[in-house]
Amino acid sequence: MSPWRPKEGLGKAGPCVMKHHCPRSKAEVRRTPSGGGGRAMSGLGRLFGKGKKEKGPTPEEAIQKLKETEKILIKKQEFLEQKIQQELQTAKKYGTKNKRAALQALRRKKRLEQQLAQTDGTLSTLEFQREAIENATTNAEVLRTMELAARGMKKAYQDMDIDKVDELMADITEQQEVAQQISDAISRPVGFGDDVDEDELLEELEELEQEELAQELLNVGNKEEEPPVKLPSVPSTHPPAGPAPKADEDEEALKQLAEWVS
């Protein structure tokens, strides 16, 4: 009998005939994905804040929220101030009559004052934050406006060249000079009278003035003397005498009476 021999192919495969019965190598183990481990790591990432970040509030939303919180704190301030006054009145009411109740009222007053001081500090902090956000918003808006203005200016000057501007101004100046020359040429008198000498005209005018002056001197010598002006004569008669005074009339009456008596 012939000895037993394995079938063809089984000797080469070795003891691991089926793949799932063979142990895996370290490289294969490293390449195999572990689904459970990945899910665990993602859960830890969400727990420690490594997940998707939420979108923060806008400056307007933050300012509105701060204003609402400020209103709440202001109301709390008013409530605490009222409670402090009530506890103070309670302490005054009991005074020495009920020392224990008065001390308790004063202790409550102290706690309320501490809360009021904390509320004041918190309110100041919120006001500072709100003002800072408002200033930052204003600065950002101003910066955007300036950037927009810069882009507008750049767009307005993008088709301009300083050399072209200089050439244009030079052309304008040259055209103005030409226009001035044309105006001067048009306003200059042309035709008759251009060949007259100005000096000859002045000499002729001077001769005419001399002749007129000589004629006036001759007229002065030939003038007749004017008759003297007659003045009215002074009257020779004396003016009539005025009425006699009253004393003379009395004397005349006395003389007549004496003559009648004698």
Side-chain angles (χ1 to χ4, degrees):
M1 292 179 63
S2 61
W4 177 84
R5 295 178 181 179
K7 293 182 179 181
E8 185 177 359
L10 294 178
K12 294 180 181 181
C16 293
V17 179
M18 300 183 69
K19 187 175 181 180
H20 61 274
H21 290 162
C22 299
R24 292 181 297 176
S25 64
K26 294 181 179 180
E28 291 175 349
V29 172
R30 285 195 297 268
R31 287 195 298 268
T32 303
S34 56
R39 287 192 295 271
M41 291 299 294
S42 62
L44 292 174
R46 288 194 298 270
L47 179 62
F48 291 101
K50 294 183 179 180
K52 185 178 179 180
K53 295 183 179 180
E54 296 182 359
K55 186 178 179 181
T58 61
E60 291 78 10
E61 294 175 351
I63 292 173
Q64 184 63 29
K65 189 65 177 178
L66 287 171
K67 288 182 178 180
E68 294 176 356
T69 307
E70 288 176 8
K71 291 180 180 179
I72 295 173
L73 291 177
I74 290 173
K75 292 181 179 179
K76 185 177 180 181
Q77 281 180 333
E78 296 175 353
F79 173 76
L80 291 174
E81 289 174 353
Q82 292 177 0
K83 292 293 292 182
I84 289 171
Q85 292 297 325
Q86 291 177 2
E87 296 298 336
L88 183 59
Q89 294 297 328
T90 302
K92 290 180 179 181
K93 178 181 178 181
Y94 288 108
T96 57
K97 297 178 182 179
N98 192 346
K99 188 175 181 180
R100 182 178 178 182
L103 291 175
Q104 289 178 354
L106 291 176
R107 291 191 187 96
R108 289 192 298 269
K109 174 178 169 295
K110 289 294 183 183
R111 289 195 301 268
L112 293 171
E113 288 176 350
Q114 291 177 359
Q115 293 180 16
L116 182 60
Q118 292 175 357
T119 304
D120 293 340
T122 305
L123 184 60
S124 298
T125 303
L126 293 179
E127 290 177 351
F128 176 78
Q129 287 182 337
R130 177 176 54 80
E131 292 174 357
I133 295 174
E134 290 175 349
N135 292 334
T137 304
T138 303
N139 293 335
E141 186 65 26
V142 171
L143 184 61
R144 284 194 293 268
T145 304
M146 294 175 65
E147 184 180 1
L148 181 64
R151 289 200 301 267
M153 185 178 295
K154 184 177 180 180
K155 185 176 181 180
Y157 286 109
Q158 65 181 359
D159 297 332
M160 295 185 182
D161 187 6
I162 187 64
D163 296 332
K164 293 181 179 179
V165 173
D166 292 338
E167 292 178 0
L168 178 61
M169 296 305 297
D171 292 340
I172 292 173
T173 303
E174 183 178 358
Q175 293 301 323
Q176 288 179 349
E177 293 177 355
V178 172
Q180 185 64 35
Q181 293 176 1
I182 293 173
S183 298
D184 295 340
I186 293 174
S187 60
R188 187 181 305 116
V190 294
F192 65 91
D194 290 344
D195 54 348
V196 177
D197 190 1
E198 189 73 19
D199 295 335
E200 293 180 359
L201 295 176
L202 293 175
E203 291 179 358
E204 185 177 356
L205 178 60
E206 186 176 357
E207 291 176 357
L208 292 175
E209 291 177 351
Q210 292 294 334
E211 291 178 359
E212 185 178 358
L213 180 59
Q215 187 65 30
E216 289 180 356
L217 293 176
L218 292 175
N219 292 334
V220 170
N222 296 330
K223 284 184 178 180
E224 297 180 356
E225 294 182 358
E226 295 181 357
V229 178
K230 294 183 179 181
L231 297 177
S233 59
V234 178
S236 59
T237 58
H238 296 283
K246 187 177 181 181
D248 296 341
E249 293 179 357
D250 294 340
E251 291 178 359
E252 187 67 26
L254 289 175
K255 288 180 178 179
Q256 292 177 2
L257 179 61
E259 291 176 355
W260 180 76
V261 171
S262 59

